[in-house]
Amino acid sequence: MTTPGFTLPQSNLRVNTISDLSQDELVSFPAFKTWLSTLQESLARQSDSSHPFHEDPYHLRQIDIQAIDRFGGGRLGFIKMKAEVSNGRGEKLPGSVFLRGGSVGMLLILQPDDLPSSEEEGKLALLTVQARVPAGSLTFTEIPAGMLDDSGTFAGGAAKEIEEETGLKVKQEELIDMTALAAEMSGSPPEEGESLQKAMYPSAGGSDEFIPLFLCEKRMSRKDIDDLRGKLTGLRDHGEKITLKVVPLKDLWKEGLRDGKTLAAWALYKGLKESGKI
């Protein structure tokens, strides 16, 4: 039986696919386009004589699409694939990839409006508790987050997710992109020259997912804050059943200790705060 497939234009790259995924659908899938261009740019850097792989550079030889998952309406959602990346001696780099694209995460800090704005002690963090079947949990605690869609900008996606998961409306200009701000402060990182996103990668060994982390600080009355405690939210037609949880900001790292993006948001907030950037 012949495996369906095609050769990508202008790259001579062979893609073995499955019957219900066409070439046009794959090459127009944003997550695939971002992943492929990022990897190709990184491989091109091997031409520099200072690169550790310069003497025997690695090449992307082939891609095998193993499975796909679709969202409502048949829209392409996730791809499981294997990329063959090897050098002239046949040495291969791990290439199993769960392709899902970008997400956004939001550190939403609430402060009672009867306290001075500079008062850190009284600040609170808003978390969500929801089912995360891949983690085997029906009550997983994390900061508000969601996948990127057609919102236009990362900040637009973050504002949309805050409203969907918490019911709070925020303007894009109220959000601070902590990952972008930290990246600008970091000078010349080791990956300089690569087109990595200004985001954190929660599982770079197996997934392309990247998550820019935003900060939103809101002053609210104590009554409005109390009304958020235990509130049920989420888009029911998307299978979301979310309970809100309000915790002291100083305890965020303990409350969300199992969630990578929560810990990353906490670390970024503390680092940027100590550096006087927020």
Side-chain angles (χ1 to χ4, degrees), residues 107 109 120 123 175-187 198 212-217 263-278:
L107 175 55
I109 296 177
E120 283 287 309
K123 289 184 176 181
L175 302 175
I176 297 174
D177 188 338
M178 295 193 294
T179 36
L181 187 56
E184 292 168 3
M185 293 175 57
S186 64
K198 291 180 179 179
L213 295 169
F214 288 84
L215 169 66
C216 178
E217 296 196 70
L263 296 179
W266 165 255
L268 284 170
Y269 177 78
K270 295 291 285 185
L272 291 170
K273 197 75 176 177
E274 291 173 1
S275 299
K277 297 298 182 180
I278 57 175

mmCIF file of all heavy atoms in Angstrom, residues 107 109 120 123 175-187 198 212-217 263-278:
data_model
loop_
_atom_site.group_PDB
_atom_site.id
_atom_site.type_symbol
_atom_site.label_atom_id
_atom_site.label_comp_id
_atom_site.label_asym_id
_atom_site.label_seq_id
_atom_site.Cartn_x
_atom_site.Cartn_y
_atom_site.Cartn_z
ATOM 1 N N LEU A 107 -1.550 36.268 34.205
ATOM 2 C CA LEU A 107 -1.478 36.456 35.648
ATOM 3 C C LEU A 107 -2.405 37.618 35.983
ATOM 4 O O LEU A 107 -2.112 38.776 35.668
ATOM 5 C CB LEU A 107 -0.048 36.755 36.087
ATOM 6 C CG LEU A 107 0.140 37.100 37.570
ATOM 7 C CD1 LEU A 107 -0.437 36.015 38.476
ATOM 8 C CD2 LEU A 107 1.609 37.333 37.882
ATOM 9 N N ILE A 109 -4.007 39.813 38.695
ATOM 10 C CA ILE A 109 -3.829 40.232 40.077
ATOM 11 C C ILE A 109 -4.944 41.207 40.464
ATOM 12 O O ILE A 109 -5.196 42.190 39.754
ATOM 13 C CB ILE A 109 -2.453 40.890 40.282
ATOM 14 C CG1 ILE A 109 -1.334 39.857 40.024
ATOM 15 C CG2 ILE A 109 -2.322 41.458 41.694
ATOM 16 C CD1 ILE A 109 0.063 40.436 40.137
ATOM 17 N N GLU A 120 1.762 45.553 48.355
ATOM 18 C CA GLU A 120 1.871 44.212 47.778
ATOM 19 C C GLU A 120 1.182 43.163 48.652
ATOM 20 O O GLU A 120 0.644 42.175 48.152
ATOM 21 C CB GLU A 120 3.341 43.821 47.602
ATOM 22 C CG GLU A 120 4.029 44.463 46.416
ATOM 23 C CD GLU A 120 3.599 43.883 45.086
ATOM 24 O OE1 GLU A 120 3.627 42.651 44.919
ATOM 25 O OE2 GLU A 120 3.231 44.675 44.203
ATOM 26 N N LYS A 123 -2.443 42.018 47.851
ATOM 27 C CA LYS A 123 -2.790 41.615 46.491
ATOM 28 C C LYS A 123 -3.210 40.143 46.435
ATOM 29 O O LYS A 123 -2.708 39.303 47.180
ATOM 30 C CB LYS A 123 -1.624 41.858 45.535
ATOM 31 C CG LYS A 123 -1.367 43.341 45.263
ATOM 32 C CD LYS A 123 -0.277 43.546 44.233
ATOM 33 C CE LYS A 123 -0.101 45.026 43.914
ATOM 34 N NZ LYS A 123 0.950 45.255 42.898
ATOM 35 N N LEU A 175 -2.934 45.222 29.461
ATOM 36 C CA LEU A 175 -2.114 44.029 29.631
ATOM 37 C C LEU A 175 -0.637 44.331 29.412
ATOM 38 O O LEU A 175 -0.266 45.093 28.526
ATOM 39 C CB LEU A 175 -2.555 42.947 28.641
ATOM 40 C CG LEU A 175 -4.021 42.506 28.740
ATOM 41 C CD1 LEU A 175 -4.358 41.535 27.624
ATOM 42 C CD2 LEU A 175 -4.301 41.876 30.089
ATOM 43 N N ILE A 176 0.203 43.717 30.226
ATOM 44 C CA ILE A 176 1.652 43.803 30.074
ATOM 45 C C ILE A 176 2.166 42.429 29.647
ATOM 46 O O ILE A 176 1.921 41.430 30.323
ATOM 47 C CB ILE A 176 2.325 44.217 31.395
ATOM 48 C CG1 ILE A 176 1.865 45.617 31.809
ATOM 49 C CG2 ILE A 176 3.847 44.170 31.271
ATOM 50 C CD1 ILE A 176 2.371 46.038 33.185
ATOM 51 N N ASP A 177 2.860 42.387 28.522
ATOM 52 C CA ASP A 177 3.426 41.130 28.038
ATOM 53 C C ASP A 177 4.740 40.889 28.791
ATOM 54 O O ASP A 177 5.788 41.419 28.435
ATOM 55 C CB ASP A 177 3.673 41.219 26.532
ATOM 56 C CG ASP A 177 4.086 39.886 25.925
ATOM 57 O OD1 ASP A 177 4.580 39.022 26.672
ATOM 58 O OD2 ASP A 177 3.926 39.710 24.706
ATOM 59 N N MET A 178 4.662 40.074 29.829
ATOM 60 C CA MET A 178 5.830 39.869 30.683
ATOM 61 C C MET A 178 6.952 39.125 29.965
ATOM 62 O O MET A 178 8.137 39.407 30.190
ATOM 63 C CB MET A 178 5.433 39.108 31.958
ATOM 64 C CG MET A 178 4.501 39.873 32.867
ATOM 65 S SD MET A 178 4.353 39.119 34.515
ATOM 66 C CE MET A 178 3.537 37.556 34.101
ATOM 67 N N THR A 179 6.612 38.175 29.109
ATOM 68 C CA THR A 179 7.666 37.423 28.412
ATOM 69 C C THR A 179 8.407 38.313 27.425
ATOM 70 O O THR A 179 9.633 38.241 27.302
ATOM 71 C CB THR A 179 7.071 36.201 27.691
ATOM 72 O OG1 THR A 179 5.775 36.516 27.172
ATOM 73 C CG2 THR A 179 6.934 35.019 28.626
ATOM 74 N N ALA A 180 7.679 39.172 26.710
ATOM 75 C CA ALA A 180 8.333 40.085 25.776
ATOM 76 C C ALA A 180 9.207 41.086 26.523
ATOM 77 O O ALA A 180 10.324 41.392 26.093
ATOM 78 C CB ALA A 180 7.287 40.810 24.932
ATOM 79 N N LEU A 181 8.709 41.587 27.648
ATOM 80 C CA LEU A 181 9.469 42.551 28.446
ATOM 81 C C LEU A 181 10.744 41.923 28.990
ATOM 82 O O LEU A 181 11.827 42.523 28.951
ATOM 83 C CB LEU A 181 8.600 43.065 29.587
ATOM 84 C CG LEU A 181 9.153 44.203 30.453
ATOM 85 C CD1 LEU A 181 9.522 45.396 29.587
ATOM 86 C CD2 LEU A 181 8.133 44.604 31.513
ATOM 87 N N ALA A 182 10.645 40.686 29.461
ATOM 88 C CA ALA A 182 11.827 39.989 29.982
ATOM 89 C C ALA A 182 12.820 39.693 28.866
ATOM 90 O O ALA A 182 14.040 39.792 29.059
ATOM 91 C CB ALA A 182 11.405 38.700 30.678
ATOM 92 N N ALA A 183 12.311 39.340 27.680
ATOM 93 C CA ALA A 183 13.196 39.050 26.546
ATOM 94 C C ALA A 183 13.986 40.287 26.141
ATOM 95 O O ALA A 183 15.167 40.196 25.788
ATOM 96 C CB ALA A 183 12.388 38.524 25.372
ATOM 97 N N GLU A 184 13.341 41.444 26.192
ATOM 98 C CA GLU A 184 14.034 42.688 25.843
ATOM 99 C C GLU A 184 15.128 43.020 26.850
ATOM 100 O O GLU A 184 16.143 43.627 26.503
ATOM 101 C CB GLU A 184 13.020 43.834 25.782
ATOM 102 C CG GLU A 184 12.032 43.719 24.630
ATOM 103 C CD GLU A 184 10.868 44.684 24.758
ATOM 104 O OE1 GLU A 184 10.881 45.483 25.729
ATOM 105 O OE2 GLU A 184 9.956 44.631 23.917
ATOM 106 N N MET A 185 14.940 42.600 28.095
ATOM 107 C CA MET A 185 15.914 42.879 29.143
ATOM 108 C C MET A 185 17.099 41.922 29.126
ATOM 109 O O MET A 185 18.150 42.210 29.694
ATOM 110 C CB MET A 185 15.247 42.791 30.521
ATOM 111 C CG MET A 185 14.218 43.843 30.819
ATOM 112 S SD MET A 185 13.454 43.497 32.424
ATOM 113 C CE MET A 185 14.901 43.461 33.492
ATOM 114 N N SER A 186 16.908 40.774 28.481
ATOM 115 C CA SER A 186 17.898 39.699 28.611
ATOM 116 C C SER A 186 19.132 39.895 27.749
ATOM 117 O O SER A 186 20.058 39.090 27.804
ATOM 118 C CB SER A 186 17.245 38.354 28.267
ATOM 119 O OG SER A 186 16.836 38.316 26.910
ATOM 120 N N GLY A 187 19.165 40.942 26.914
ATOM 121 C CA GLY A 187 20.331 41.163 26.078
ATOM 122 C C GLY A 187 20.374 40.187 24.930
ATOM 123 O O GLY A 187 19.389 39.947 24.250
ATOM 124 N N LYS A 198 8.691 35.137 21.627
ATOM 125 C CA LYS A 198 8.905 35.757 22.933
ATOM 126 C C LYS A 198 7.866 35.167 23.875
ATOM 127 O O LYS A 198 6.823 35.770 24.157
ATOM 128 C CB LYS A 198 8.785 37.268 22.831
ATOM 129 C CG LYS A 198 9.921 37.909 22.045
ATOM 130 C CD LYS A 198 9.760 39.413 21.962
ATOM 131 C CE LYS A 198 10.925 40.031 21.185
ATOM 132 N NZ LYS A 198 10.774 41.507 21.070
ATOM 133 N N PRO A 212 3.071 33.095 25.501
ATOM 134 C CA PRO A 212 3.375 34.413 26.049
ATOM 135 C C PRO A 212 2.557 34.628 27.314
ATOM 136 O O PRO A 212 1.382 34.246 27.371
ATOM 137 C CB PRO A 212 2.957 35.379 24.931
ATOM 138 C CG PRO A 212 1.994 34.616 24.090
ATOM 139 C CD PRO A 212 2.355 33.165 24.212
ATOM 140 N N LEU A 213 3.153 35.205 28.317
ATOM 141 C CA LEU A 213 2.503 35.383 29.612
ATOM 142 C C LEU A 213 2.258 36.862 29.878
ATOM 143 O O LEU A 213 3.191 37.671 29.854
ATOM 144 C CB LEU A 213 3.358 34.781 30.722
ATOM 145 C CG LEU A 213 3.536 33.256 30.644
ATOM 146 C CD1 LEU A 213 4.605 32.785 31.617
ATOM 147 C CD2 LEU A 213 2.216 32.559 30.926
ATOM 148 N N PHE A 214 1.000 37.179 30.132
ATOM 149 C CA PHE A 214 0.594 38.568 30.337
ATOM 150 C C PHE A 214 0.257 38.837 31.805
ATOM 151 O O PHE A 214 -0.157 37.931 32.536
ATOM 152 C CB PHE A 214 -0.630 38.885 29.479
ATOM 153 C CG PHE A 214 -0.339 38.978 28.010
ATOM 154 C CD1 PHE A 214 -0.296 37.831 27.228
ATOM 155 C CD2 PHE A 214 -0.094 40.198 27.415
ATOM 156 C CE1 PHE A 214 -0.021 37.908 25.868
ATOM 157 C CE2 PHE A 214 0.189 40.286 26.064
ATOM 158 C CZ PHE A 214 0.229 39.149 25.283
ATOM 159 N N LEU A 215 0.404 40.089 32.176
ATOM 160 C CA LEU A 215 0.029 40.548 33.507
ATOM 161 C C LEU A 215 -1.117 41.539 33.377
ATOM 162 O O LEU A 215 -1.081 42.446 32.539
ATOM 163 C CB LEU A 215 1.219 41.233 34.188
ATOM 164 C CG LEU A 215 0.921 41.999 35.488
ATOM 165 C CD1 LEU A 215 0.481 41.044 36.591
ATOM 166 C CD2 LEU A 215 2.140 42.816 35.914
ATOM 167 N N CYS A 216 -2.132 41.359 34.215
ATOM 168 C CA CYS A 216 -3.228 42.313 34.298
ATOM 169 C C CYS A 216 -3.497 42.566 35.781
ATOM 170 O O CYS A 216 -3.740 41.621 36.541
ATOM 171 C CB CYS A 216 -4.477 41.773 33.618
ATOM 172 S SG CYS A 216 -5.907 42.890 33.732
ATOM 173 N N GLU A 217 -3.417 43.834 36.195
ATOM 174 C CA GLU A 217 -3.699 44.199 37.589
ATOM 175 C C GLU A 217 -4.968 45.045 37.636
ATOM 176 O O GLU A 217 -5.075 46.043 36.917
ATOM 177 C CB GLU A 217 -2.517 44.963 38.188
ATOM 178 C CG GLU A 217 -1.240 44.131 38.268
ATOM 179 C CD GLU A 217 -0.201 44.745 39.185
ATOM 180 O OE1 GLU A 217 -0.412 44.754 40.413
ATOM 181 O OE2 GLU A 217 0.827 45.216 38.665
ATOM 182 N N LEU A 263 3.889 28.831 37.400
ATOM 183 C CA LEU A 263 5.192 29.059 38.028
ATOM 184 C C LEU A 263 6.035 30.028 37.212
ATOM 185 O O LEU A 263 6.757 30.866 37.769
ATOM 186 C CB LEU A 263 5.920 27.727 38.201
ATOM 187 C CG LEU A 263 5.262 26.720 39.152
ATOM 188 C CD1 LEU A 263 6.086 25.430 39.211
ATOM 189 C CD2 LEU A 263 5.098 27.312 40.549
ATOM 190 N N ALA A 264 5.955 29.926 35.876
ATOM 191 C CA ALA A 264 6.706 30.842 35.022
ATOM 192 C C ALA A 264 6.184 32.273 35.184
ATOM 193 O O ALA A 264 6.969 33.227 35.237
ATOM 194 C CB ALA A 264 6.602 30.404 33.562
ATOM 195 N N ALA A 265 4.860 32.425 35.254
ATOM 196 C CA ALA A 265 4.277 33.755 35.435
ATOM 197 C C ALA A 265 4.707 34.349 36.776
ATOM 198 O O ALA A 265 5.024 35.545 36.875
ATOM 199 C CB ALA A 265 2.760 33.678 35.349
ATOM 200 N N TRP A 266 4.724 33.521 37.799
ATOM 201 C CA TRP A 266 5.158 33.968 39.129
ATOM 202 C C TRP A 266 6.617 34.431 39.092
ATOM 203 O O TRP A 266 6.964 35.493 39.625
ATOM 204 C CB TRP A 266 4.986 32.818 40.121
ATOM 205 C CG TRP A 266 5.686 32.975 41.436
ATOM 206 C CD1 TRP A 266 6.820 32.344 41.844
ATOM 207 C CD2 TRP A 266 5.294 33.819 42.534
ATOM 208 N NE1 TRP A 266 7.167 32.731 43.117
ATOM 209 C CE2 TRP A 266 6.238 33.640 43.572
ATOM 210 C CE3 TRP A 266 4.241 34.697 42.751
ATOM 211 C CZ2 TRP A 266 6.167 34.307 44.784
ATOM 212 C CZ3 TRP A 266 4.172 35.370 43.965
ATOM 213 C CH2 TRP A 266 5.118 35.171 44.967
ATOM 214 N N ALA A 267 7.477 33.643 38.451
ATOM 215 C CA ALA A 267 8.893 33.989 38.370
ATOM 216 C C ALA A 267 9.104 35.272 37.575
ATOM 217 O O ALA A 267 9.912 36.137 37.961
ATOM 218 C CB ALA A 267 9.677 32.840 37.738
ATOM 219 N N LEU A 268 8.391 35.421 36.459
ATOM 220 C CA LEU A 268 8.518 36.634 35.654
ATOM 221 C C LEU A 268 8.039 37.856 36.430
ATOM 222 O O LEU A 268 8.677 38.919 36.389
ATOM 223 C CB LEU A 268 7.716 36.490 34.356
ATOM 224 C CG LEU A 268 8.332 35.610 33.274
ATOM 225 C CD1 LEU A 268 7.328 35.365 32.148
ATOM 226 C CD2 LEU A 268 9.602 36.235 32.712
ATOM 227 N N TYR A 269 6.928 37.719 37.119
ATOM 228 C CA TYR A 269 6.400 38.837 37.899
ATOM 229 C C TYR A 269 7.404 39.271 38.968
ATOM 230 O O TYR A 269 7.696 40.461 39.120
ATOM 231 C CB TYR A 269 5.065 38.436 38.548
ATOM 232 C CG TYR A 269 4.500 39.517 39.439
ATOM 233 C CD1 TYR A 269 3.844 40.629 38.889
ATOM 234 C CD2 TYR A 269 4.619 39.444 40.829
ATOM 235 C CE1 TYR A 269 3.325 41.622 39.715
ATOM 236 C CE2 TYR A 269 4.102 40.441 41.650
ATOM 237 C CZ TYR A 269 3.450 41.529 41.090
ATOM 238 O OH TYR A 269 2.951 42.513 41.897
ATOM 239 N N LYS A 270 7.941 38.290 39.699
ATOM 240 C CA LYS A 270 8.897 38.617 40.759
ATOM 241 C C LYS A 270 10.166 39.247 40.168
ATOM 242 O O LYS A 270 10.681 40.232 40.714
ATOM 243 C CB LYS A 270 9.252 37.353 41.521
ATOM 244 C CG LYS A 270 8.069 36.730 42.278
ATOM 245 C CD LYS A 270 7.617 37.570 43.440
ATOM 246 C CE LYS A 270 8.572 37.474 44.616
ATOM 247 N NZ LYS A 270 8.081 38.210 45.798
ATOM 248 N N GLY A 271 10.668 38.684 39.076
ATOM 249 C CA GLY A 271 11.893 39.214 38.468
ATOM 250 C C GLY A 271 11.707 40.613 37.917
ATOM 251 O O GLY A 271 12.566 41.495 38.112
ATOM 252 N N LEU A 272 10.594 40.838 37.219
ATOM 253 C CA LEU A 272 10.340 42.163 36.652
ATOM 254 C C LEU A 272 10.058 43.193 37.750
ATOM 255 O O LEU A 272 10.450 44.361 37.625
ATOM 256 C CB LEU A 272 9.151 42.093 35.692
ATOM 257 C CG LEU A 272 9.398 41.316 34.385
ATOM 258 C CD1 LEU A 272 8.085 41.098 33.633
ATOM 259 C CD2 LEU A 272 10.409 42.036 33.503
ATOM 260 N N LYS A 273 9.408 42.749 38.827
ATOM 261 C CA LYS A 273 9.122 43.639 39.939
ATOM 262 C C LYS A 273 10.423 44.058 40.621
ATOM 263 O O LYS A 273 10.640 45.246 40.903
ATOM 264 C CB LYS A 273 8.223 42.924 40.941
ATOM 265 C CG LYS A 273 7.512 43.839 41.926
ATOM 266 C CD LYS A 273 6.355 44.575 41.237
ATOM 267 C CE LYS A 273 5.577 45.402 42.224
ATOM 268 N NZ LYS A 273 4.507 46.180 41.544
ATOM 269 N N GLU A 274 11.308 43.108 40.857
ATOM 270 C CA GLU A 274 12.582 43.406 41.514
ATOM 271 C C GLU A 274 13.473 44.274 40.637
ATOM 272 O O GLU A 274 14.319 45.021 41.139
ATOM 273 C CB GLU A 274 13.289 42.102 41.873
ATOM 274 C CG GLU A 274 12.584 41.313 42.987
ATOM 275 C CD GLU A 274 13.195 39.946 43.202
ATOM 276 O OE1 GLU A 274 14.179 39.608 42.491
ATOM 277 O OE2 GLU A 274 12.694 39.201 44.079
ATOM 278 N N SER A 275 13.271 44.174 39.305
ATOM 279 C CA SER A 275 14.079 44.973 38.373
ATOM 280 C C SER A 275 13.473 46.355 38.144
ATOM 281 O O SER A 275 14.037 47.160 37.392
ATOM 282 C CB SER A 275 14.187 44.245 37.031
ATOM 283 O OG SER A 275 14.829 42.982 37.188
ATOM 284 N N GLY A 276 12.316 46.601 38.737
ATOM 285 C CA GLY A 276 11.674 47.895 38.596
ATOM 286 C C GLY A 276 11.006 48.122 37.253
ATOM 287 O O GLY A 276 10.750 49.274 36.857
ATOM 288 N N LYS A 277 10.707 47.048 36.537
ATOM 289 C CA LYS A 277 10.115 47.172 35.202
ATOM 290 C C LYS A 277 8.588 47.167 35.233
ATOM 291 O O LYS A 277 7.961 47.537 34.240
ATOM 292 C CB LYS A 277 10.618 46.038 34.297
ATOM 293 C CG LYS A 277 12.119 46.071 34.056
ATOM 294 C CD LYS A 277 12.516 47.359 33.348
ATOM 295 C CE LYS A 277 14.012 47.396 33.046
ATOM 296 N NZ LYS A 277 14.395 48.642 32.349
ATOM 297 N N ILE A 278 8.005 46.713 36.310
ATOM 298 C CA ILE A 278 6.539 46.756 36.450
ATOM 299 C C ILE A 278 6.178 47.285 37.840
ATOM 300 O O ILE A 278 7.018 47.308 38.732
ATOM 301 C CB ILE A 278 5.895 45.367 36.229
ATOM 302 C CG1 ILE A 278 6.470 44.323 37.191
ATOM 303 C CG2 ILE A 278 6.050 44.930 34.805
ATOM 304 C CD1 ILE A 278 5.801 42.984 37.103
#
